[in-house]
């Protein structure tokens, strides 16, 4: 009947409005995080120490002075993938500033093979992309793992000291607008773009002391958690709406 149609439409409209509100809140939080990150890494905003005093000045460091690189998998064919040991896939790096260990692929590794393994604190970079703006996208491994490898189209950067470069801070440093502007300049190519590890290692980063790195990382992580909670709520509401529609019209 018409009254029932109106009630159904009104209810579904309310669900849609809820989804739109959550999406707006998420977008607003993402925009806020972007602005805060820019101000933090440009040092327009600084944290204080536990006593309310200023932290020391940040220090300039070339990447080659604070870590070393290693290659991804070598000598593999498509038949080697699908079973075996876990490895970090390209999209795991591209999609998130930290590696989601539940998304590992699998690859056959024969006994005695000389392949590099990833470990906690490693910064993983993509070396190839379709546009210059996507070159050198970085993600940090924030979990302890055993016998995990890296895909062929990426390389790893292993800090010499995890107090000089705190992994949770590195996650945001290498995705900051300031660093991204410098890394995009390294893109080479016309239809497919690549990046030189040698040139990357010449780049200079500004590093606060360990305590300030940890404060920055904790603050930015809290914003990420807020964004993730919006994402989960949006996904849950969409699934709820999908279930309702199936029950109503089946």
């Amino acid at each position: 009947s018409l009254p029932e149609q109106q009630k159904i439409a009104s209810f579904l409209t309310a669900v849609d409005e809820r989804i739109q509100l959550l999406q707006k809140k998420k977008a607003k939080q993402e925009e806020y995080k972007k602005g805060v990150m820019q101000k933090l890494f440009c040092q327009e905003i600084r944290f204080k120490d536990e006593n309310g005093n200023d932290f020391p000045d940040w220090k300039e460091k070339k990447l080659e002075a604070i870590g070393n690189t290693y290659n991804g998998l070598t000598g593999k064919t498509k038949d080697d993938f699908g079973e075996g040991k876990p490895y970090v896939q390209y999209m795991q790096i591209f999609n998130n500033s930290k590696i989601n260990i539940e998304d590992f692929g699998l690859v056959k590794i024969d006994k005695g093979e000389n392949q590099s393994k990833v470990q906690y604190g490693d910064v993983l970079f993509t070396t190839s992309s379709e546009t210059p703006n996507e070159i050198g996208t970085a993600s940090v491994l924030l979990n302890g793992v055993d016998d995990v490898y890296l895909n062929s189209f990426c390389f790893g950067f292993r800090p010499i000291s995890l107090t000089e470069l705190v992994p949770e801070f590195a996650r945001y440093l290498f995705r900051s607008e300031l660093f991204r502007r410098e890394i995009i300049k390294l893109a080479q190519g016309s239809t497919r773009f690549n990046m030189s590890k040698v040139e990357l290692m010449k780049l200079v980063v500004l590093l606060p002391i360990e305590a300030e790195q940890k404060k920055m990382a904790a603050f930015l992580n809290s914003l990420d958690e807020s964004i993730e909670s919006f994402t989960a709520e949006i996904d849950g509401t969409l699934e709820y709406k999908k279930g309702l529609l199936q029950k109503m019209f089946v």
Side-chain angles (χ1 to χ4, degrees):
S1 66
L2 183 59
E4 187 176 8
Q5 289 182 39
Q6 290 172 334
K7 280 191 174 184
I8 292 172
S10 178
F11 182 72
L12 291 174
T13 298
V15 174
D16 282 336
E17 287 173 350
R18 174 66 177 165
I19 293 168
Q20 290 170 7
L21 178 63
L22 290 169
Q23 288 171 334
K24 286 179 181 178
K25 286 183 176 181
K26 178 185 174 184
K28 189 174 181 180
Q29 189 75 334
E30 288 173 335
E31 193 62 28
Y32 173 69
K33 178 196 165 189
K34 182 180 177 181
V36 166
M37 270 190 70
Q38 186 170 349
K39 289 181 178 179
L40 281 172
F41 285 101
C42 289
Q43 300 183 62
E44 291 179 37
I45 299 174
R46 292 285 304 274
F47 286 95
K48 303 285 186 180
D49 67 18
E50 298 303 323
N51 299 315
N53 299 318
D54 292 338
F55 281 112
D57 290 341
W58 295 15
K59 292 185 178 180
E60 287 189 352
K61 299 279 186 178
K62 277 191 175 182
L63 290 184
E64 62 188 7
I66 62 172
N68 301 290
T69 62
Y70 60 88
N71 293 324
L73 291 163
T74 57
K76 294 297 175 185
T77 68
K78 63 180 182 179
D79 295 330
D80 293 314
F81 294 90
E83 60 179 297
K85 297 286 188 179
Y87 77 97
V88 181
Q89 303 187 78
Y90 183 97
M91 294 308 293
Q92 281 178 275
I93 299 170
F94 187 80
N95 285 339
N96 203 315
S97 60
K98 68 174 181 179
I99 297 298
N100 183 348
I101 62 173
E102 295 181 0
D103 292 337
F104 288 146
L106 295 174
V107 62
K108 292 178 186 175
I109 303 292
D110 294 329
K111 191 174 180 179
E113 268 194 67
N114 185 23
Q115 303 279 5
S116 298
K117 299 177 185 178
V118 299
Q119 66 184 40
Y120 168 77
D122 286 359
V123 185
L124 310 176
F125 288 93
T126 61
T127 55
S128 179
S129 67
E130 293 181 356
T131 70
N133 288 340
E134 295 174 347
I135 200 73
T137 301
S139 184
V140 181
L141 182 60
L142 297 179
N143 301 83
V145 294
D146 295 315
D147 294 338
V148 177
Y149 301 85
L150 178 61
N151 78 83
S152 308
F153 302 101
C154 301
F155 69 88
F157 173 80
R158 182 163 296 161
I160 296 167
S161 166
L162 297 185
T163 57
E164 184 176 35
L165 181 60
V166 176
E168 290 75 12
F169 171 80
R171 169 188 179 184
Y172 298 104
L173 170 67
F174 293 114
R175 290 227 176 187
S176 67
E177 188 174 329
L178 202 63
F179 184 79
R180 291 296 307 156
R181 282 204 300 263
E182 294 305 309
I183 210 167
I184 287 168
K185 296 175 185 176
L186 304 181
Q188 299 175 338
S190 54
T191 56
R192 186 81 187 175
F193 295 86
N194 296 289
M195 180 187 69
S196 163
K197 280 190 301 183
V198 174
E199 294 304 313
L200 172 74
M201 294 294 279
K202 293 177 183 177
L203 293 183
V204 173
V205 291
L206 279 167
L207 295 180
I209 64 168
E210 180 186 8
E212 189 173 6
Q213 287 187 39
K214 286 183 174 180
K215 280 203 167 189
M216 290 174 66
F219 176 70
L220 291 170
N221 184 63
S222 70
L223 296 182
D224 274 331
E225 287 178 348
S226 175
I227 292 167
E228 287 167 8
S229 70
F230 282 127
T231 302
E233 198 169 352
I234 290 166
D235 290 345
T237 309
L238 286 168
E239 195 63 29
Y240 173 67
K241 178 187 173 184
K242 180 182 176 182
L244 280 176
L245 289 170
Q246 286 177 339
K247 289 176 182 179
M248 286 178 180
F249 299 110
V250 171

